[in-house]
Amino acid sequence: MSGKPKLYYFDGRGKMESIRWLLAAAGVEFEEEFLETREQYEKLLQGGSLLFQQVPMVEMDGMRMVQTRAILSYIAAKYNLYGKDLKERALIDMYVGGTDDLMGFILMFPFLSAEDKEKQRAFIVQKATSRYFPVYEKVLKDHGQDFLVGNNFSWADVHLLEAILMVEEKKSDVLSGFPQLQAFKARISSIPTVKKFLEPGSQRKPVPDDKYVETVRRVLRMYYDVKAN
């Protein structure tokens, strides 16, 4: 294994994108191997690298790690993005968990039919503006600090910015009623490592297209139709 973390996934967002975000925010360079064929995937399976027969998989610090949450927790702890004590870690876990729920509504969006996409788009915006964004708006307003937890940059901030940008792709003015989140977005986006990741030419992946969907379906043999919430 090389010194840089190596990420095994498709050339697209999916569950790996949050891992890319967190590594980039921590200032960590990483390599990627993109799965393009069923044979590549089966080779990983046969080699015993995929503990639960799933990707994402990350080679890092002599380990082959699977399970997205475990990978993210390890990165956050290693690079001091996981709070200073157990109470702060619990808050980070809660906020990340909530953001995960919101992002989960978006994850399968590319695999929906055109009709279901319109229904899901409205559902995502409704959930974001009525359930999730009000929580973070209140947190930021109540404590008056720049970051979600302990007034220090953490995994929770990275994850929330990623989610905000994903929802804005569905409705560009979705933050119009959330002034605290508008200011938060500007602050976090200006952090040098995050700003670099947001610039053209970075390893951040674009909105999933038909080619990405077809590759995932072919490699994972997804022969079923995904349904909207």
Side-chain angles (χ1 to χ4, degrees), residues 134-152:
V135 171
Y136 304 115
E137 181 79 4
K138 185 177 187 301
V139 168
L140 291 165
K141 184 177 181 180
D142 286 353
H143 66 38
Q145 297 173 339
D146 289 344
F147 305 104
L148 285 172
V149 179
N151 206 27
N152 284 301

Side-chain angles (χ1 to χ4, degrees), residues 15 26 39 45 50 107 128 142 198 200 226-227:
K15 290 189 174 183
E39 289 70 27
L45 289 174
L50 305 182
L107 185 64
D142 286 353
L198 292 171
V226 176
K227 300 298 182 183

Side-chain angles (χ1 to χ4, degrees), residues 5 10 20 55 94 107 111 124 134 152 169 213 215 221 226:
F10 307 99
R20 297 184 185 106
V55 287
M94 286 195 295
L107 185 64
F111 298 88
I124 289 164
N152 284 301
E169 289 169 350
V213 170
T215 300
R221 294 180 176 168
V226 176

Side-chain angles (χ1 to χ4, degrees), residues 45-65:
L45 289 174
Q46 293 163 6
S49 296
L50 305 182
L51 192 62
F52 299 106
Q53 302 178 27
Q54 296 172 316
V55 287
M57 192 265 282
V58 173
E59 286 184 351
M60 185 174 180
D61 294 342
M63 298 184 290
R64 289 187 173 93
M65 295 188 287

Side-chain angles (χ1 to χ4, degrees), residues 21-27 76-77 79-84 88 92 145-162 184-185 187-195 197:
W21 265 90
L22 195 57
L23 285 169
Y79 294 104
N80 299 314
L81 295 170
Y82 212 173
K84 69 178 185 299
E88 288 192 358
I92 290 169
Q145 297 173 339
D146 289 344
F147 305 104
L148 285 172
V149 179
N151 206 27
N152 284 301
F153 183 46
S154 77
W155 173 20
D157 302 306
V158 179
H159 216 50
L160 179 55
L161 177 60
E162 181 188 1
F184 172 87
K185 174 190 168 185
R187 279 196 305 274
I188 305 305
S189 297
S190 68
I191 291 172
T193 53
V194 176
K195 183 178 180 181
F197 190 62

Side-chain angles (χ1 to χ4, degrees), residues 66-111:
V66 296
Q67 293 296 326
T68 309
R69 187 59 182 259
I71 297 167
L72 287 166
S73 296
Y74 181 83
I75 295 167
K78 180 179 174 69
Y79 294 104
N80 299 314
L81 295 170
Y82 212 173
K84 69 178 185 299
D85 55 34
L86 284 174
K87 288 185 178 181
E88 288 192 358
R89 183 168 293 193
L91 286 172
I92 290 169
D93 283 338
M94 286 195 295
Y95 297 152
V96 166
T99 309
D100 259 346
D101 291 344
L102 174 58
M103 291 167 71
F105 299 136
I106 305 172
L107 185 64
M108 298 308 293
F109 185 88
F111 298 88

Side-chain angles (χ1 to χ4, degrees), residues 108-125:
M108 298 308 293
F109 185 88
F111 298 88
L112 299 173
S113 67
E115 180 181 356
D116 279 345
K117 279 182 179 178
E118 288 312 304
K119 295 177 183 177
Q120 189 71 355
R121 188 188 310 274
F123 178 84
I124 289 164
V125 172

